[in-house]
Amino acid sequence: MLNSETLRALETVEHCDYEIACTSLTDTGYQKIGKGTTESTVFRLPNSEYVIRIFRHEHIPAAMMAMGRAMPGNPFLPRIDEYRRLSATARALVMEALVHPSEIKPCMNESAFRTLSGAIDAYRNFPLGDKRHARCHEMFGRSARNQYLGAMLQALANAIAERHEDEPDCCLRLNNRSSSRVLLRRTETGFFPVFADPLTLGNDKAVALREMKQIVERCEVLLGLPSRQISIRAQQAELARPV
């Protein structure tokens, strides 16, 4: 259940386009705390447990909602509390407030922060993999969390495939550039990595589908998930389109 402040904010931006929605949130006391990779802006009231992310397009919020529905309770995915279509040019997601690593840097000694930063980089590169973090990624695959990582990767591949199938003009792809794609959730035992901004829009479907195929392969090889557990729809969508 959303609190009254968040509900009032959503009422304020109802029927607004993207620019007016962003301005209205600022006028009601919300602070702009970041921008997403594809024409989206994130707002938060000081000390609120929620953020409101305003999107110009529906592809990413719709895909993130689909991921959340497919994998409820997956700790690697952000908690999404509300999705609203504000107007033809604006969508809003109400999400849990997460922590950017830069926010906690002043509270940690240099060695501890360097260790944390290295772990975050490893998670950021996990969906496609890289040589630098290969050993760390193998450890992720063997850990007790691998079922959640595997599920997260499946949800990511499925979200890309389904948007490409449902929206032929959409070029949804993995976000592998933004530093905010992995943020941190505060827990009783410390911080937990969350893929908060995993998707972006591109202009090359061949690249997007190639990435999706790599994600599926990592589910099968690194995490030991048999191919039958990977979405049949994701495989069919990938194979049906020339690369």
Side-chain angles (χ1 to χ4, degrees):
M1 175 71 80
L2 297 179
N3 59 29
S4 57
E5 290 175 333
T6 305
L7 289 171
R8 281 197 299 270
L10 290 174
E11 291 172 2
T12 300
V13 297
E14 198 75 34
H15 308 301
C16 294
D17 64 18
Y18 178 81
E19 285 80 7
I20 294 176
C22 291
T23 301
S24 297
L25 286 176
T26 302
D27 291 344
T28 55
Y30 275 76
Q31 298 175 352
K32 186 173 86 169
I33 62 170
K35 290 187 71 68
T37 54
T38 310
E39 296 188 85
S40 68
T41 307
V42 185
F43 297 88
R44 185 185 182 186
L45 276 179
N47 302 316
S48 175
E49 63 180 300
Y50 303 105
V51 298
I52 299 178
R53 187 173 175 187
I54 305 295
F55 293 83
R56 193 183 294 274
H57 304 288
E58 70 172 348
H59 302 302
I60 293 175
M64 291 182 67
M65 286 295 294
M67 290 173 65
R69 285 194 297 267
M71 306 291 171
N74 190 312
F76 289 101
L77 294 175
R79 189 191 74 240
I80 298 175
D81 296 281
E82 187 87 12
Y83 169 62
R84 290 198 183 183
R85 184 183 189 278
L86 305 180
S87 66
T89 61
R91 308 291 188 274
L93 279 185
V94 179
M95 304 168 60
E96 64 175 312
L98 298 166
V99 180
H100 193 281
S102 62
E103 296 178 49
I104 59 176
K105 184 176 182 180
C107 307
M108 302 180 71
N109 64 53
E110 185 177 345
S111 176
F113 185 74
R114 189 163 53 245
T115 299
L116 177 64
S117 297
I120 293 170
D121 281 341
Y123 277 106
R124 285 172 180 158
N125 290 284
F126 183 75
L128 295 181
D130 66 340
K131 293 181 180 178
R132 179 183 173 192
H133 298 98
R135 181 173 295 182
C136 190
H137 290 166
E138 289 176 6
M139 291 174 60
F140 291 170
R142 292 195 300 268
S143 75
R145 297 174 180 172
N146 69 345
Q147 61 176 321
Y148 294 113
L149 274 170
M152 186 276 298
L153 289 183
Q154 290 181 54
L156 202 55
N158 292 345
I160 294 170
E162 289 169 10
R163 294 307 294 178
H164 283 216
E165 184 175 304
D166 297 339
E167 300 285 343
D169 296 329
C170 169
C171 184
L172 193 67
R173 61 171 295 189
L174 180 71
N175 171 17
N176 54 14
R177 293 189 177 184
S178 170
S179 65
S180 64
R181 64 187 184 274
V182 173
L183 298 178
L184 300 170
R185 177 186 293 122
R186 292 183 186 273
T187 70
E188 293 180 355
T189 57
F191 294 96
F192 193 90
V194 178
F195 289 79
D197 191 16
L199 298 165
T200 188
L201 291 175
N203 53 20
D204 191 331
K205 276 205 167 188
V207 171
L209 293 170
R210 201 155 49 237
E211 289 174 346
M212 186 188 71
K213 183 178 180 181
Q214 285 180 258
I215 294 171
V216 171
E217 288 173 348
R218 283 180 72 73
C219 287
E220 296 176 306
V221 178
L222 184 61
L223 300 174
L225 297 176
S227 58
R228 60 183 172 79
Q229 292 185 18
I230 310 299
S231 168
I232 297 301
R233 185 177 185 185
Q235 292 187 49
Q236 289 175 341
E238 194 276 328
L239 294 172
R241 290 176 169 78
V243 175

